[in-house]
Amino acid sequence: MRNLLRILILTGFLSVGFSSAQAQSGLNETDPRQMSLDLYAGINRGVLPENLALQLRDIIQLFRYRCTRVTDYQVFQQRPNLIDLKVKCSGDPLYGVTVASNGFVSVFGGNGILSGFDRRDGLILSFRVEGETTDSSLTVDQAFDETVSRIEMGDEFDYIYLLSTFMMILGIGIVVFVVWLKMYRFKQGRKPRQRHKPMQKHRVRLSSKVKDQLLEESTEVAKYVHRHPSGVYLSVGKTGKRRLFRSRFWAVIYARFGMKMFETSLEEAAAEEEPAS
């Protein structure tokens, strides 16, 4: 009798444990948190795309969206603790799926609010009915052919992008050339050309005593303008400074306006008189 009672009690415990395990297993299979963690870990660990597509389908169906079969999906953005995906189900618009490392999951879209796939956003994985998996990666030749095709079709965005890229490369080339040219000139010892103003071309370095003597030997031909027998004009400026000019016109300009244009010296004047004599 005792043995029979022990058998019945043991059988009851086993049946209760088995039913609890079944209930827990069924709960985990449909728990959004667990499904989100599985999908997040699968993307980071590089699980086969076919298995990830099945997990995406189950998550979309869990949120009561229609998804008979996942035909394409793309990891749109991957951050340290969050992953955004674009998912295309057969016959339905795009869905957006977000999973996080803490078990958060969100499904949205299915009504056309999401833009289509773009290869520049990430790799697009496609699944055929036969079970074959393809992606959107391009070889160098394919990328070149596609760029040429877009230009020929008049794709304005790509045209502007290529033009701006060309201008940027051209600008960098010009800057490099200018820097190289300056360095080359610096190594060759060439200095930048200095442009002298006309009034700086001839500077008279005479003492005040010499100027007084020239003034005494000169004859006044205009107000503050005197002509020396050598043919040089001695002009007195507004500040009292005296300067020599070969032309009476520039001597008058200096006397009235203080503008020093085409000054000369006694040596230069003598040098110009010698050929004439």
Side-chain angles (χ1 to χ4, degrees):
M1 186 66 180
R2 288 182 179 179
N3 294 334
L4 179 60
L5 184 59
R6 289 177 181 176
I7 292 172
L8 291 175
I9 293 174
L10 182 59
T11 304
F13 278 122
L14 291 175
S15 61
V16 170
F18 180 74
S19 61
S20 299
Q22 259 191 342
Q24 183 68 27
S25 177
L27 179 62
N28 290 338
E29 290 178 356
T30 58
D31 182 18
R33 180 183 174 87
Q34 186 62 45
M35 296 174 71
S36 174
L37 292 173
D38 292 341
L39 181 60
Y40 181 86
I43 294 174
N44 288 322
R45 294 177 182 175
V47 176
L48 292 176
E50 296 84 352
N51 297 337
L52 296 179
L54 294 176
Q55 294 180 13
L56 287 170
R57 182 200 63 184
D58 295 339
I59 289 178
I60 293 174
Q61 291 178 350
L62 182 66
F63 281 79
R64 301 183 183 278
Y65 288 100
R66 184 180 64 181
C67 184
T68 57
R69 183 177 67 88
V70 173
T71 59
D72 310 271
Y73 80 82
Q74 177 188 46
V75 179
F76 181 74
Q77 190 172 14
Q78 189 168 1
R79 287 162 283 182
N81 298 316
L82 203 67
I83 298 177
D84 298 319
L85 303 99
K86 284 185 177 181
V87 184
K88 178 71 170 66
C89 294
S90 179
D92 297 314
L94 286 178
Y95 292 104
V97 178
T98 301
V99 292
S101 58
N102 60 356
F104 170 81
V105 59
S106 173
V107 179
F108 53 92
N111 53 1
I113 63 173
L114 291 176
S115 59
F117 289 114
D118 193 335
R119 190 167 28 242
R120 291 168 294 188
D121 295 332
L123 193 65
I124 304 171
L125 294 167
S126 302
F127 308 95
R128 299 180 181 177
V129 180
E130 298 83 2
E132 183 180 354
T133 305
T134 59
D135 57 55
S136 60
S137 58
L138 294 176
T139 63
V140 176
D141 294 337
Q142 291 173 337
F144 178 78
D145 294 339
E146 181 179 351
T147 303
V148 173
S149 299
R150 289 185 178 183
I151 294 176
E152 291 177 351
M153 292 175 62
D155 193 333
E156 183 178 358
F157 176 80
D158 289 338
Y159 178 77
I160 295 176
Y161 175 78
L162 290 175
L163 181 60
S164 60
T165 303
F166 173 76
M167 295 300 295
M168 181 181 66
I169 295 175
L170 181 61
I172 293 175
I174 293 175
V175 171
V176 171
F177 175 75
V178 171
V179 172
W180 175 85
L181 185 60
K182 286 184 176 295
M183 292 179 63
Y184 176 78
R185 288 183 175 179
F186 178 78
K187 290 181 179 179
Q188 295 296 324
R190 298 179 181 176
K191 296 182 179 179
R193 185 179 60 181
Q194 297 180 355
R195 296 183 177 179
H196 297 278
K197 295 181 180 180
M199 74 279 295
Q200 296 176 339
K201 186 174 182 181
H202 303 290
R203 294 195 175 186
V204 180
R205 296 182 180 179
L206 299 176
S207 63
S208 298
K209 185 177 180 180
V210 174
K211 292 180 180 179
D212 292 339
Q213 183 179 355
L214 292 175
L215 191 61
E216 291 177 358
E217 298 174 355
S218 302
T219 304
E220 186 175 6
V221 294
K223 190 175 182 180
Y224 303 117
V225 178
H226 301 76
R227 187 178 188 278
H228 192 265
S230 62
V232 178
Y233 289 91
L234 186 66
S235 178
V236 182
K238 292 183 179 181
T239 59
K241 291 184 178 181
R242 293 160 292 184
R243 300 183 182 276
L244 303 180
F245 297 91
R246 284 292 302 166
S247 172
R248 177 176 176 176
F249 173 78
W250 294 116
V252 173
I253 291 295
Y254 175 72
R256 293 186 179 181
F257 304 103
M259 297 177 60
K260 301 176 290 183
M261 304 290 288
F262 302 105
E263 291 182 63
T264 188
S265 63
L266 291 177
E267 293 79 4
E268 292 177 350
E272 291 180 1
E273 291 291 337
E274 286 179 0
S277 62

